[in-house]
Amino acid sequence: MSRDQALTQAAQQLGYDFDGEIKAGGNYQPLIRDGNVVYVSGQVPRVKDTVVVTGRVGAEVDLARAQLAAKICTMRALVLLQRSLGSLDAVKQILRLNVFTQGAEHFTQLSEVADGASELLVQILGPAGTHARTSVGVYALPKNASVELDLTVAVQP
């Protein structure tokens, strides 16, 4: 199965449609390419016009739902890459994943939230989906999103 087919299959498994426009939420670019490196701006779990997972993880949002949010963020990032590059086959390696979780005061399972994104990257991209990673807990995220993530990606010349 190609990476593009794996992306489509993952969207079907998640039960969300990522075919529409992936809108930027402000005055910035969704991704920037510098030579063979692409920086994907922070993605929240938005589907069409709705942020589908909101609230504090460990309070209003449980771990499983937060991992789903991380997967939706990842899908948005991969769809942006696919559209920009023409195919996910142009991805050489995910270099870095940064995951920000809006957590309740004593919530510490930040790496477990990020696992949702990490697992999906490997599921879709295979070995090219492995990456360095940082998981951070924050007080607030845009639109009350439970999770936001960004990627740094090496691509084929």
Side-chain angles (χ1 to χ4, degrees):
M1 175 183 328
S2 76
R3 292 175 177 173
D4 297 318
Q5 291 169 324
L7 182 71
T8 300
Q9 183 180 59
Q12 292 168 347
Q13 289 170 345
L14 290 174
Y16 290 102
D17 178 6
F18 297 93
D19 289 340
E21 181 183 1
I22 305 285
K23 298 177 185 177
N27 188 18
Y28 63 90
Q29 294 299 312
L31 53 80
I32 295 286
R33 183 170 181 164
D34 181 17
N36 294 333
V37 177
V38 176
Y39 300 90
V40 181
S41 293
Q43 300 298 311
V44 298
R46 183 190 320 255
V47 177
K48 307 232 184 278
D49 292 324
T50 304
V51 178
V52 297
V53 184
T54 59
R56 293 196 180 284
V57 181
E60 302 94 352
V61 178
D62 66 15
L63 178 58
R65 188 108 176 110
Q67 289 172 326
L68 172 64
K71 289 179 181 182
I72 293 168
C73 297
T74 303
M75 289 296 297
R76 287 173 53 90
L78 290 174
V79 167
L80 285 168
L81 279 168
Q82 182 188 46
R83 291 176 183 174
S84 173
L85 301 171
S87 170
L88 289 178
D89 291 336
V91 171
K92 188 173 172 184
Q93 186 73 52
I94 302 296
L95 299 174
R96 184 165 189 80
L97 166 66
N98 295 306
V99 180
F100 304 90
T101 301
Q102 180 186 196
E105 183 178 358
H106 298 289
F107 183 76
T108 60
Q109 292 180 289
L110 303 167
S111 61
E112 289 85 345
V113 172
D115 285 343
S118 294
E119 290 165 7
L120 190 61
L121 286 169
V122 173
Q123 175 187 329
I124 293 171
L125 300 173
T130 60
H131 50 271
R133 182 177 92 179
T134 300
S135 306
V136 179
V138 298
Y139 180 75
L141 287 171
K143 311 293 184 207
N144 196 32
S146 297
V147 178
E148 181 175 10
L149 62 76
D150 64 66
L151 295 175
T152 304
V153 183
V155 297
Q156 303 296 336

